[in-house]
């Protein structure tokens, strides 16, 4: 009896690249439907997931320059999707907070990601649980020191 060939790291990386490309394309189209750039949509998504964030921390999370982050937040603030507040302990630190309208737009973007939704809907409950566990293990959980 022959064993199935093992999947190598390079193959996994390639499939992950394709998967992320589909997800990012789906996200970009959904953000554009709300008159947002992908970067603006990503900022809203990061805030929706993690709550208020200092401008510098938000720039680091999004791996962009702080001056670019300022422009992104300026445009989101003009639309009423976020607001800035000075930090309680250090008034020089500005925190970005998602508004109720920002939450609504973020949820609308996710709801419009049809390709991603349809792909995930094809998984049964056991496969969803397994995928969640694997993605969390690979990208979220840090190995014990």
């Amino acid at each position: 009896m022959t064993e199935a060939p093992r999947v190598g790291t390079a193959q996994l990386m390639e499939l992950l690249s394709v998967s992320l490309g589909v997800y990012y394309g789906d996200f970009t189209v959904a953000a554009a439907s709300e008159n947002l750039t992908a970067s603006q949509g990503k900022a809203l998504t990061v805030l929706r997931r993690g709550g208020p964030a200092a401008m510098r921390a938000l720039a680091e999370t999004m791996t962009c320059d702080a001056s670019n982050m300022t422009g992104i937040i300026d445009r989101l603030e003009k639309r009423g999707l976020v607001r800035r507040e000075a930090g309680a302990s250090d008034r020089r630190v500005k925190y970005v907070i998602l508004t109720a309208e920002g939450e609504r737009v973020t949820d609308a973007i996710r709801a419009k990601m049809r390709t991603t939704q349809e792909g995930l809907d094809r998984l049964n409950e056991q496969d969803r649980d397994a995928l969640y566990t694997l993605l969390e293990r690979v990208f979220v959980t840090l190995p014990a020191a």
Side-chain angles (χ1 to χ4, degrees):
M1 190 162 165
T2 343
E3 277 189 42
R6 298 239 176 218
V7 176
T9 301
Q11 290 169 296
L12 288 172
M13 290 177 72
E14 182 60 29
L15 184 55
L16 186 59
S17 174
V18 169
S19 303
L20 291 174
V22 170
Y23 178 89
Y24 186 73
D26 202 18
F27 181 84
T28 300
V29 169
S33 76
E34 293 292 329
N35 297 311
L36 296 171
T37 65
S39 294
Q40 291 167 335
K42 183 177 178 185
L44 293 177
T45 301
V46 168
L47 292 168
R48 183 81 162 121
R49 180 179 60 238
M55 288 283 288
R56 181 163 304 285
L58 191 55
E60 288 173 9
T61 298
M62 292 183 53
T63 60
C64 73
D65 188 75
S67 62
N68 189 34
M69 190 79 256
T70 299
I72 291 168
I73 296 305
D74 284 348
R75 289 184 287 285
L76 292 173
E77 192 171 37
K78 280 182 188 172
R79 289 200 39 202
L81 303 176
V82 300
R83 71 178 191 279
R84 291 181 180 127
E85 286 184 9
S89 60
D90 185 347
R91 310 267 318 147
R92 296 170 297 177
V93 176
K94 299 295 181 209
Y95 285 88
V96 182
I97 300 160
L98 197 60
T99 64
E101 179 63 6
E103 289 179 8
R104 185 200 66 75
V105 168
T106 306
D107 292 345
I109 290 169
R110 182 151 295 155
K112 292 176 181 179
M113 294 178 65
R114 297 284 181 238
T115 303
T116 303
Q117 294 281 349
E118 290 168 5
L120 293 173
D121 286 345
R122 288 193 298 267
L123 299 177
N124 64 32
E125 188 176 334
Q126 184 178 357
D127 288 342
R128 284 171 176 265
D129 291 348
L131 180 60
Y132 185 91
T133 299
L134 292 170
L135 290 172
E136 188 174 50
R137 187 183 321 156
V138 172
F139 296 108
V140 179
T141 307
L142 298 175

